[in-house]
Amino acid sequence: MEKVTIKEIAKVANVSYATVSRALSGSPEIGDATRERILKICDEMKYIPDSVARSMVRKRTDIIGVVTASINNPFMSELIEAIEVAARERGYNLMVCNSSYDLELEKRQFSLLLGRRVDGIIVIPAGHDTAKNLSGYETDVPVVYVSENLQDGEASYVAIDNAAGARIGVEYLYKMGHRNILYLGRREGSLTHSLRADGVIKACSELGMNVSFKDNLSSGKSSMDAGYQLAKEYFASPAGATAIFCATDSLALGAMHAADEAGVRIPDDISILGFDNISFTSLPRIGMTTVEQPKAEMAQAAIDLVLSERTEGDQKNSRSIKPRLVERTSCRRI
Amino acid sequence: MEKVTIKEIAKVANVSYATVSRALSGSPEIGDATRERILKICDEMKYIPDSVARSMVRKRTDIIGVVTASINNPFMSELIEAIEVAARERGYNLMVCNSSYDLELEKRQFSLLLGRRVDGIIVIPAGHDTAKNLSGYETDVPVVYVSENLQDGEASYVAIDNAAGARIGVEYLYKMGHRNILYLGRREGSLTHSLRADGVIKACSELGMNVSFKDNLSSGKSSMDAGYQLAKEYFASPAGATAIFCATDSLALGAMHAADEAGVRIPDDISILGFDNISFTSLPRIGMTTVEQPKAEMAQAAIDLVLSERTEGDQKNSRSIKPRLVERTSCRRI
DNA sequence: TTGAAAGCGCTAACAA
DNA sequence: TTGTTAGCGCTTTCAA
């Protein structure tokens, strides 16, 4: 059960092993008859080409590395699945590394991928400093960040138009008759979050709506737990908002929990609007209306970007994806 | 920004490149002074070893391939994350391939991984025929199936003790005072599902409980949708069960939806018990009590198995993991 | 303790 | 159209 190599095929076929290589790579400089014959022998001998050896000489691995903050996070796992599909369509495999939201580990994983000579790296950032964290590696391997806005010129990235997403949410609420809303979960230090919050402010002011804020001071992520706490505080002394626009679905889920606990009915007493459209939100018992980040589109854009930079040199590019509203049952018309 | 190789390091350090290799691999046959000096130069020149070249000569890649039916499925993504962690601890990276529940694609992905010379393959099966589907590949690469029971001797696998899981669920229901239950979602052709169903029957008979069945005839997976349909049919002409034990959490979620729609209150009017403990079930609004498959343990066992078979030859092994009950709020004491 | 050199399985330039 | 051959960057004998 030893691994069959090209040389043994050559011996059996009575040709040089270069000829076998040509047959396999579909090179035009080979006779149809020989090709057929060789291919048949390969098949019979169950030959599987050694990608490692091939990578070595071709100086490409056909592997895209992915460094993600989490594999299990519903938003990210959906993104990764879409990245896998998009990569596969272009003939690439994925090497997925988990940073567990840890900047040090993220760095190690990134470096590892470089050593593995992947053809490109897609990063789903562990934190807001990820791009800075990874900027030390001078490399000609294309790197694309997904889902987080970066400073322009800092690095290539794919993100939704967060300001537009905020506007879409606010306009929807406006259309539903809401004039006084709470924006929950704004936070410092994240460009993505500032863009959303600023978008909300701008849209509200243009539409003549009143907006108040409940900021997320927790150092951690935008977790359900944070949403729960924030909403709980709000419900303790409500300020008359008829709708809560949450910066992320996780926060919204937490806010929903707090509302349930406080006996505040959704959407009868208050409307809740999320952001991201993670899989949880579509459950019948949840029915969260939310601003969607189109993950498949983002994944496609990331793959396109990473592969185009491979051939065209490494200017910093970025792609902005249009978000859209997914209407369910957590918001009511008033 | 050309890639630095071992030769250039050698030149700078004024040693042969074999010596550099030794310094890097921590070989004992080298002087401390030289090692230090070489390592420092590597650092300064930002040398990153080429894993591809190394793999070629060492005949191992330190990569574990994963073929999964879905990356996004909550059960599987949790499993994959745990596999990544366990693999990393042992110095391995993951190459994750998605079969999208398609047996043909699953085969291609498997073969691809073989070509990439991964050191082992973990398969999260696309269907009940997966092991058969993949049995054509004679290879000395260890393969371990996770999450499905297989015929013994067919291949190596890791699965929970499904009969025990069924018993745990039934005993819990018994303890809560239920004597008449419905088992929802039994299906043909899957050893895993038969084991669960048989376990339920056996436990019920031993405890003197009455159990009826609502079988899953849909050819597809154990989806929420199937659970919804099945439960809907049941609620149309209920047979007096006080609890529904669902073969999977997805089915249970669907059953919950059907109950909500039919005005059947959970747990007041009927109790629902799931199986798997996928992340969805822990949401406050769901609160599904369920029999957990311990994913981290399963992942660890799979990695252990795949790596041990690498060194010890390829007998077929299997590991059985003990499931446990996670109590939430979907079952009531009567 | 170090160096020289073979070779891992393959591709691609060059010859024939 | 096919064969010969030189590497790709590294590890690992074998010699020194």
Side-chain angles (χ1 to χ4, degrees):
Chain A
M1 219 155 48
E2 279 308 296
K3 292 254 145 51
V4 185
T5 76
I6 216 173
K7 290 193 182 174
E8 292 153 57
I9 302 285
K11 208 170 291 167
V12 174
N14 236 315
V15 292
S16 76
Y17 62 93
T19 305
V20 179
S21 171
R22 278 189 274 258
L24 287 162
S25 66
S27 156
E29 39 184 38
I30 184 178
D32 283 353
T34 10
R35 175 192 285 111
E36 301 274 297
R37 195 165 57 86
I38 292 174
L39 256 26
K40 192 153 139 271
I41 293 173
C42 288
D43 210 47
E44 282 165 2
M45 296 181 67
K46 289 171 187 289
Y47 168 75
I48 299 184
D50 186 323
S51 312
V52 176
R54 175 177 288 178
S55 293
M56 175 113 126
V57 15
R58 299 208 318 179
K59 304 199 152 310
R60 48 178 292 184
T61 51
D62 299 320
I63 296 175
I64 301 289
V66 175
V67 182
T68 180
S70 162
I71 295 174
N72 192 27
N73 171 299
F75 177 80
M76 298 179 189
S77 76
E78 201 174 331
L79 202 50
I80 296 168
E81 173 144 320
I83 292 173
E84 200 273 350
V85 172
R88 173 151 37 92
E89 279 169 1
R90 307 277 297 259
Y92 288 79
N93 278 120
L94 244 48
M95 187 140 203
V96 180
C97 301
N98 192 348
S99 70
S100 302
Y101 295 96
D102 174 338
L103 289 180
E104 264 323 298
L105 182 51
E106 184 175 54
K107 223 161 162 171
R108 280 213 303 287
Q109 301 283 37
F110 188 85
S111 164
L112 221 79
L113 253 14
L114 253 21
R116 292 218 181 263
R117 300 297 184 253
V118 296
D119 293 343
I121 301 182
I122 293 177
V123 181
I124 308 176
H128 308 307
D129 297 332
T130 285
K132 221 160 293 154
N133 189 40
L134 264 27
S135 63
Y137 295 95
E138 291 158 23
T139 168
D140 48 359
V141 176
V143 178
V144 172
Y145 295 80
V146 189
S147 91
E148 213 56 65
N149 279 84
L150 299 179
Q151 308 290 351
D152 270 315
E154 190 176 2
S156 294
Y157 69 90
V158 173
I160 57 160
D161 182 337
N162 280 292
R167 168 169 300 273
I168 287 169
V170 170
E171 279 174 353
Y172 171 74
L173 258 16
Y174 181 87
K175 206 186 67 193
M176 298 294 272
H178 298 272
R179 294 295 178 266
N180 188 1
I181 70 172
L182 172 72
Y183 184 74
L184 184 147
R186 179 172 65 174
R187 62 143 101 231
E188 303 261 290
S190 152
L191 185 51
T192 303
H193 277 77
S194 324
L195 288 169
R196 288 186 192 177
D198 292 351
V200 167
I201 294 174
K202 188 134 176 285
C204 284
S205 103
E206 285 176 26
L207 292 165
M209 290 166 72
N210 182 41
V211 56
S212 53
F213 291 85
K214 192 80 192 163
D215 291 351
N216 185 3
L217 280 358
S218 78
S219 58
K221 322 161 252 167
S222 296
S223 61
M224 265 189 65
D225 218 54
Y228 171 77
Q229 288 302 340
L230 257 22
K232 190 171 171 180
E233 284 168 28
Y234 176 77
F235 291 134
S237 53
T242 58
I244 303 181
F245 189 2
C246 299
T248 74
D249 280 340
S250 291
L251 292 169
L253 255 13
M256 184 174 262
H257 182 201
D260 289 347
E261 226 179 60
V264 176
R265 292 166 306 164
I266 299 168
D268 309 272
D269 298 330
I270 201 157
S271 294
I272 293 191
L273 178 61
F275 205 119
D276 284 349
N277 193 28
I278 62 176
S279 52
F280 289 141
T281 58
S282 70
L283 287 173
R285 281 212 173 177
I286 308 290
M288 184 79 71
T289 297
T290 187
V291 178
E292 177 179 30
Q293 298 207 49
K295 289 141 215 94
E297 259 180 79
M298 292 168 69
Q300 185 68 59
I303 288 291
D304 287 350
L305 211 51
V306 93
L307 294 183
S308 75
E309 288 187 11
R310 206 182 130 68
T311 52
E312 291 163 23
D314 56 358
Q315 341 74 303
K316 307 298 176 219
N317 294 296
S318 70
R319 296 262 193 289
S320 180
I321 309 293
K322 281 272 161 279
R324 65 186 193 89
L325 193 101
V326 177
E327 189 169 15
R328 299 204 179 91
T329 56
S330 64
C331 294
R332 111 171 219 269
R333 165 162 280 126
I334 58 174
Chain B
M1 221 154 45
E2 279 308 297
K3 292 253 145 51
V4 184
T5 77
I6 215 174
K7 290 193 180 172
E8 294 153 56
I9 302 285
K11 208 170 291 168
V12 174
N14 237 313
V15 292
S16 77
Y17 62 92
T19 305
V20 179
S21 172
R22 279 189 273 256
L24 287 163
S25 66
S27 157
E29 40 184 37
I30 183 178
D32 282 353
T34 7
R35 175 192 284 111
E36 300 275 296
R37 195 165 56 85
I38 291 174
L39 256 26
K40 193 153 139 272
I41 293 173
C42 287
D43 209 49
E44 281 164 3
M45 296 180 67
K46 289 171 187 287
Y47 168 75
I48 300 184
D50 186 323
S51 313
V52 177
R54 174 177 289 179
S55 293
M56 177 113 124
V57 14
R58 299 210 316 181
K59 302 197 154 315
R60 50 178 290 186
T61 51
D62 299 320
I63 297 175
I64 302 288
V66 174
V67 182
T68 179
S70 161
I71 295 173
N72 191 26
N73 171 301
F75 178 80
M76 300 180 188
S77 76
E78 200 174 331
L79 202 50
I80 297 168
E81 174 144 319
I83 292 173
E84 200 273 350
V85 172
R88 172 151 36 94
E89 278 169 2
R90 308 277 297 258
Y92 288 79
N93 278 120
L94 245 47
M95 187 137 200
V96 180
C97 300
N98 192 348
S99 70
S100 302
Y101 296 96
D102 173 337
L103 289 180
E104 264 322 300
L105 182 52
E106 185 176 53
K107 222 163 164 169
R108 280 213 304 284
Q109 301 282 36
F110 188 85
S111 163
L112 219 79
L113 253 13
L114 253 21
R116 292 217 181 261
R117 300 297 184 254
V118 295
D119 293 342
I121 301 183
I122 293 177
V123 181
I124 308 176
H128 308 307
D129 297 331
T130 285
K132 221 159 293 152
N133 189 40
L134 264 26
S135 64
Y137 294 94
E138 291 159 23
T139 169
D140 48 359
V141 176
V143 179
V144 172
Y145 294 81
V146 188
S147 91
E148 288 290 332
N149 279 84
L150 299 179
Q151 308 291 350
D152 269 315
E154 189 177 4
S156 295
Y157 69 91
V158 173
I160 56 161
D161 181 338
N162 280 291
R167 169 169 300 271
I168 287 169
V170 171
E171 280 175 353
Y172 172 74
L173 258 15
Y174 181 87
K175 205 186 67 191
M176 297 294 272
H178 299 270
R179 294 294 178 268
N180 188 2
I181 71 172
L182 172 72
Y183 185 73
L184 184 147
R186 180 173 63 176
R187 59 143 102 232
E188 304 260 291
S190 151
L191 184 51
T192 303
H193 276 78
S194 326
L195 288 169
R196 288 186 191 178
D198 293 352
V200 167
I201 294 173
K202 186 135 177 284
C204 283
S205 103
E206 284 176 27
L207 292 166
M209 291 167 71
N210 182 41
V211 56
S212 54
F213 289 86
K214 191 80 194 164
D215 290 351
N216 185 2
L217 281 358
S218 79
S219 57
K221 322 160 252 168
S222 295
S223 60
M224 264 189 65
D225 219 54
Y228 171 77
Q229 289 301 340
L230 257 24
K232 189 172 171 178
E233 285 168 27
Y234 176 77
F235 290 133
S237 53
T242 58
I244 304 181
F245 189 1
C246 300
T248 73
D249 280 340
S250 292
L251 291 168
L253 254 12
M256 185 175 261
H257 182 201
D260 289 347
E261 225 178 62
V264 176
R265 291 165 307 162
I266 300 168
D268 309 273
D269 299 330
I270 201 157
S271 293
I272 293 191
L273 178 60
F275 206 118
D276 285 349
N277 193 27
I278 63 176
S279 51
F280 289 144
T281 58
S282 69
L283 287 173
R285 282 213 173 175
I286 309 290
M288 184 79 72
T289 296
T290 187
V291 178
E292 178 180 28
Q293 299 208 48
K295 289 142 216 94
E297 262 181 77
M298 293 168 69
Q300 185 67 60
I303 287 291
D304 287 351
L305 212 50
V306 93
L307 293 183
S308 75
E309 288 188 11
R310 203 181 132 69
T311 52
E312 292 162 23
D314 55 359
Q315 341 74 305
K316 307 298 177 218
N317 294 296
S318 69
R319 296 265 193 288
S320 181
I321 309 292
K322 282 273 161 278
R324 65 184 193 91
L325 193 100
V326 176
E327 188 169 16
R328 298 203 180 90
T329 57
S330 66
C331 294
R332 111 172 219 268
R333 165 162 280 124
I334 57 175

